[in-house]
Amino acid sequence: MYRIRLHGRGGQGMKTAGRILGSAFFLAGFEVQDAPRYGAERRGAPIFAYVRAGRTPILERGVISRPDLIIVADDHLLAMPGAGVLSGAQPQTAFLIHSHEKPSLWRERLNLQGPVFTLPGLPENELRFRGAACAGGAAALIPELNIDLLAEAVQEELAPLGPELVATNLGVARMAYASLAAHRGAVHEGGPVSAGEYTPPGWLTLACEEPLLSAPAIHAAATSELSQTGLWRTERPIIDGSRCNRCWWLCSTFCPEGAIQVDDERRPRIDYGHCKGCLVCLAQCPAHAISAVPEEEAAAQGETP
Amino acid sequence: MTRKLLTGNGAAAWGARLARIDYLPAFPITPQTEIIETLSNWIEGRELECRMVTMESEHSMLTAAGAAAVTGVRVFTATSSQGLLYATEMLYTVAGWRVPLVMVNVSRGLSSPITLEPDHNDVLAMRDCGFLQLHCATCQEVLDNLLIAYRLAEHPTVRLPVLVNLDGFYLSFTREPVLIPTQAEVDRFLPPFNPGSIRFRGGEPLSEGVAVLEGAAYSYFRYEAHLASLQGIRVYEELGQEFAGLFGRSYTALECYKSEDAEIVFVMIGSFATKAKEAVDRLREAGKKVGLVRPRLVRPFPAAALRGALAGKKGVAVIDQNLSPGKGGILHGELASALYGMAEAPPVLASFVGGLGGRDISSEEFFEIHKAVQRAVSEGVNPSPRLLYTEEELRGVRTMQSVARAADTKQGGGA
């Protein structure tokens, strides 16, 4: 059975990519199970989806703990332990990463044993098609899939969006497929867990603890500050000090996260640790002093948040 | 007939559509909302002739569903978790009206703490309301059992509302291949509703749910509903056979998987039971005589069938995805009452609670459950109930507690 896990951020199309792959497998005659895994859905927050494809009806359910292929739509997630991208990776697990970096860099940096492939980062104006790119690239690595099945699956999954968007997504998927066509067969089906030889789950017996500890309460204010929601940001608002007219309140008032503070000299400062990049400030600034820069670009320019 | 990938929610919507429902009172709640969205799209596109009304709460939704059912139309509705609990009063009330309707519940854990992820405490909190309960393990079963549910609810002997349950996330948002029968095929099994005597009309006086201020009448009406529910076991089996004749997929009150020659049997309900089947296959490969028994019907409770399926077994592991605080797993207690006093009752009836709030149950845990029951069988001692919970999970909770300053408060001696 193929077990594929797709990691991305809310809004990057990983649920769709999973469905395209699921449909392609289904069209190829596989039994399929695909699902997104999300909690309270949040744009920009790490999410994942998964696909199982086998020759017999699939009895496994839920999150894939030992993936054969891990797809990463956004290479920043690899540095976020909370995203769990590397969770359960086996020595033979293949990686497909949407990244400007070379595969060798990721192999070295993450000490990966299995094959690593990258999909060249899409230009800014095409980033919204990265789901199609990831599905196309993955289809190229799986011997039972081909370009026709991929095209049919894209058509099936995206038809409600209209022919124009289907055509664009198809173009992106085909290009990604072509770029990895030489690596056909690089992903291998994993086997089941053996009941004869396995690692026991490490159960414990819970003790009865006092209610202060055992009731679901938070005993302090502003603990949410500990959560670095700035990591969800894909675009960074940057204030041009020379154009800011120090109106002192518009951007900070409209910021839904309370992530903009104004100093004694009426200069607004953005707390990038918690700014989610919604860009409401940019829309509100009367002096048009705020611009949006893609995170990757801002990072490349050495602008540390 | 077409075979395509559908989520559990999609399969539920298809079931309702093919049942040619007439009336759909609705109120949104995760993870059920997709069912209502799908149906409303079809109604909007005139693919389904049905009256949909959005209500201001689940309590009103169930009231509307019951009131419409009294007029003799085919009614469908769906909810989850807190929504189901909010409708509780009307579930009991409508069941007492003895009218057929079908409701889907997409299982989700209950507050507090609040979660979106599944377990069975919501649906089992409705165990005693009078609705029949069908529990599904696959998306196909969701579609098929919706069709069967209407026949069951509308059966002249039963005439009780039916709840069809599917697990949030593990079925609701998970796509699997589902055979969608054609309308003509479904019409042969589930023809347009003939309400017979269910007929509330203006100008034809009828009072539903009347007051009875003494126990004899109350006992009579309540016990009649119980007897009708018990008839549901036989009716479900008959309908399952008829369904198999038409569609080739058979449904029985119990699904027995490799349990006939098994020495140790897992008992559980819902979609996690397919995980148990996977574990059974792996354990069989390792030479273990193990099987699974899964009740599809929880109300009425198929006690006789369970006695038959479990007679002579050495050990049974009941895996409850629910928790009755102060008691433990609910199905374990139900099964114990069914097996008590039986000559060939399994000597070991172990209780495991797992999968609360969407917590997964791994293959390795099924292997360990088997091992624990095997040990209990050889030692001749029934093991203590166990929560499936790992050291690693507790470490994660300790981190949360430290963020929540729970330990600080304790040290500060606040209380």
Side-chain angles (χ1 to χ4, degrees):
Chain A
M1 189 194 304
Y2 285 105
R3 297 174 183 83
I4 302 173
R5 214 170 60 207
L6 305 96
H7 292 263
R9 297 170 182 275
Q12 288 180 337
M14 282 306 96
K15 175 184 173 184
T16 305
R19 288 175 81 122
I20 292 171
L21 275 178
S23 280
F25 273 117
F26 186 59
L27 292 164
F30 278 80
E31 293 296 314
V32 171
Q33 183 192 82
D34 66 49
R37 185 71 171 190
Y38 34 42
E41 296 85 331
R42 296 162 300 190
R43 195 170 190 82
I47 61 107
F48 65 96
Y50 52 87
V51 181
R52 289 185 172 91
R55 269 82 174 177
T56 52
I58 295 168
L59 299 172
E60 291 180 14
R61 282 190 187 283
V63 175
I64 289 173
S65 53
R66 277 171 288 267
D68 305 310
L69 170 65
I70 293 176
I71 300 175
V72 189
D74 185 323
D75 59 8
H76 287 87
L77 296 173
L78 286 158
M80 289 166 60
V85 176
L86 302 179
S87 164
Q90 309 290 300
Q92 70 279 10
T93 302
F95 280 80
L96 174 63
I97 309 171
H98 179 261
S99 172
H100 290 290
E101 310 289 356
K102 286 192 163 36
S104 54
L105 181 129
W106 290 116
R107 186 177 297 117
E108 207 171 299
R109 205 181 266 177
L110 303 171
N111 192 24
L112 303 176
Q113 316 286 306
V116 181
F117 306 97
T118 55
L119 285 166
L122 289 164
E124 178 67 17
N125 61 343
E126 284 183 17
L127 271 177
R128 64 200 168 109
F129 305 119
R130 74 172 106 194
C134 289
L141 302 175
I142 293 157
E144 291 86 351
L145 300 183
N146 60 48
I147 193 83
D148 296 329
L149 292 166
L150 173 68
E152 202 180 334
V154 169
Q155 173 71 36
E156 207 162 279
E157 290 304 325
L158 302 181
L161 302 178
E164 213 168 296
L165 274 173
V166 168
T168 317
N169 276 283
L170 204 48
V172 171
R174 280 180 191 280
M175 267 178 53
Y177 184 95
S179 77
L180 294 174
H183 303 285
R184 199 174 168 75
V187 177
H188 301 284
E189 295 180 67
V193 193
S194 159
E197 214 176 297
Y198 63 92
T199 315
W203 286 336
L204 58 66
T205 301
L206 283 181
C208 182
E209 301 185 321
E210 58 181 301
L212 265 177
L213 205 60
S214 63
I218 297 172
H219 301 268
T223 52
S224 56
E225 274 183 20
L226 296 170
S227 179
Q228 294 291 305
T229 46
L231 292 170
W232 302 2
R233 193 175 57 240
T234 51
E235 283 192 286
R236 185 183 302 183
I238 293 178
I239 301 172
D240 178 351
S242 66
R243 294 179 73 176
C244 170
N245 63 17
R246 304 194 200 178
C247 73
W248 75 261
W249 66 278
L250 268 174
C251 56
S252 64
T253 303
F254 278 94
C255 174
E257 295 299 316
I260 305 181
Q261 302 294 320
V262 182
D263 68 15
D264 294 344
E265 290 164 16
R266 296 183 170 190
R267 250 193 298 268
R269 302 220 182 270
I270 299 176
D271 167 10
Y272 288 115
H274 297 94
C275 162
K276 293 175 181 167
C278 71
L279 305 181
V280 167
C281 54
L282 184 147
Q284 292 299 331
C285 178
H288 305 293
I290 306 178
S291 56
V293 179
E295 265 311 302
E296 293 175 28
E297 213 173 286
Q301 286 168 8
E303 294 182 39
T304 45
Chain B
M1 197 182 305
T2 51
R3 189 165 188 265
K4 60 183 286 190
L5 294 174
L6 283 185
T7 60
N9 282 344
W14 265 106
R17 171 180 170 153
L18 290 167
R20 295 183 187 271
I21 57 168
D22 298 304
Y23 183 63
L24 171 66
F27 190 83
I29 184 169
T30 297
Q32 162 282 134
T33 306
E34 187 188 4
I35 299 173
I36 302 297
E37 282 173 356
T38 308
L39 287 167
S40 72
N41 275 334
W42 286 333
I43 294 168
E44 175 82 6
R46 293 289 174 94
E47 288 174 79
L48 174 63
E49 286 297 321
C50 173
R51 174 78 183 272
M52 176 177 168
V53 182
T54 52
M55 309 302 289
E56 76 277 15
S57 74
E58 288 87 352
H59 188 280
S60 306
M61 183 179 91
L62 250 295
T63 311
V70 169
T71 69
V73 298
R74 199 168 267 165
V75 180
F76 175 74
T77 192
T79 189
S80 282
S81 187
Q82 306 299 125
L84 184 69
L85 261 67
Y86 195 46
T88 304
E89 183 188 12
M90 290 315 296
L91 264 83
Y92 276 78
T93 302
V94 165
W97 296 353
R98 298 292 307 273
V99 287
L101 65 90
V102 173
M103 173 173 68
V104 160
N105 181 63
V106 184
S107 262
R108 165 183 150 188
L110 295 170
S111 218
S112 291
I114 198 158
T115 182
L116 300 174
E117 303 257 343
D119 65 35
H120 296 149
N121 261 100
D122 60 352
V123 62
L124 291 178
M126 295 306 126
R127 188 188 62 175
D128 305 332
C129 75
F131 275 54
L132 275 53
Q133 287 194 8
L134 307 182
H135 288 251
C136 302
T138 65
C139 296
Q140 183 72 60
E141 214 170 283
V142 171
L143 193 159
D144 293 348
N145 273 273
L146 259 171
L147 305 176
I148 295 172
Y150 276 102
R151 286 286 304 276
L152 187 58
E154 292 165 6
H155 193 279
T157 317
V158 177
R159 243 173 70 175
L160 281 165
V162 176
L163 186 159
V164 177
N165 201 70
L166 59 132
D167 291 333
F169 290 81
Y170 289 86
L171 284 185
S172 74
F173 299 151
T174 299
R175 292 202 311 178
E176 294 177 340
V178 175
L179 277 162
I180 307 174
T182 63
Q183 188 66 61
E185 286 168 327
V186 171
D187 287 349
R188 278 202 293 278
F189 176 74
L190 179 66
F193 183 28
N194 174 12
S197 63
I198 306 172
R199 193 189 141 77
F200 179 58
R201 293 286 185 281
E204 296 178 24
L206 171 75
S207 296
E208 278 288 357
V210 297
V212 287
L213 298 179
E214 42 85 26
Y218 185 86
S219 304
Y220 169 79
F221 292 122
R222 293 291 289 173
Y223 209 77
E224 280 298 315
H226 165 61
L227 295 173
S229 180
L230 288 175
Q231 292 297 315
I233 299 170
R234 174 184 55 81
V235 174
Y236 183 83
E237 298 275 2
E238 287 168 6
L239 291 170
Q241 271 184 17
E242 187 185 331
F243 191 92
L246 287 166
F247 298 97
R249 295 182 295 279
S250 71
Y251 291 99
T252 46
L254 293 186
E255 180 191 22
C256 296
Y257 184 74
K258 303 187 181 176
S259 65
E260 209 156 298
D261 68 335
E263 294 175 350
I264 290 173
V265 174
F266 300 130
V267 174
M268 62 193 306
I269 56 173
S271 66
F272 276 38
T274 70
K275 294 156 79 80
K277 282 165 112 174
E278 171 74 21
V280 165
D281 287 352
R282 300 288 80 80
L283 284 161
R284 287 264 171 184
E285 280 171 8
K288 311 290 184 188
K289 284 191 161 179
V290 59
L292 164 79
V293 169
R294 172 175 70 94
R296 289 191 179 94
L297 282 179
V298 168
R299 280 295 176 274
F301 192 65
L306 281 162
R307 281 194 288 271
L310 299 176
K313 301 301 172 199
K314 290 183 175 171
V316 171
V318 184
I319 303 160
D320 271 288
Q321 276 170 271
N322 63 78
L323 181 65
S324 176
K327 171 62 171 75
I330 294 169
L331 288 175
H332 180 260
E334 298 248 310
L335 188 58
S337 76
L339 297 178
Y340 182 77
M342 186 177 90
E344 285 186 284
V348 170
L349 182 62
S351 171
F352 295 86
V353 170
L356 300 182
R359 192 261 192 204
D360 211 344
I361 301 178
S362 65
S363 291
E364 288 88 339
E365 289 189 302
F366 283 106
F367 304 158
E368 285 293 286
I369 290 170
H370 174 266
K371 194 184 275 180
V373 173
Q374 209 172 28
R375 196 182 310 125
V377 168
S378 65
E379 291 169 1
V381 184
N382 208 48
S384 304
R386 166 165 286 287
L387 174 72
L388 306 184
Y389 205 76
T390 64
E391 290 165 25
E392 192 185 343
E393 289 178 292
L394 184 61
R395 275 198 295 278
V397 169
R398 292 293 185 233
T399 306
M400 285 172 68
Q401 286 170 324
S402 103
V403 170
R405 304 274 183 83
D408 295 2
T409 312
K410 192 182 88 179
Q411 280 156 12

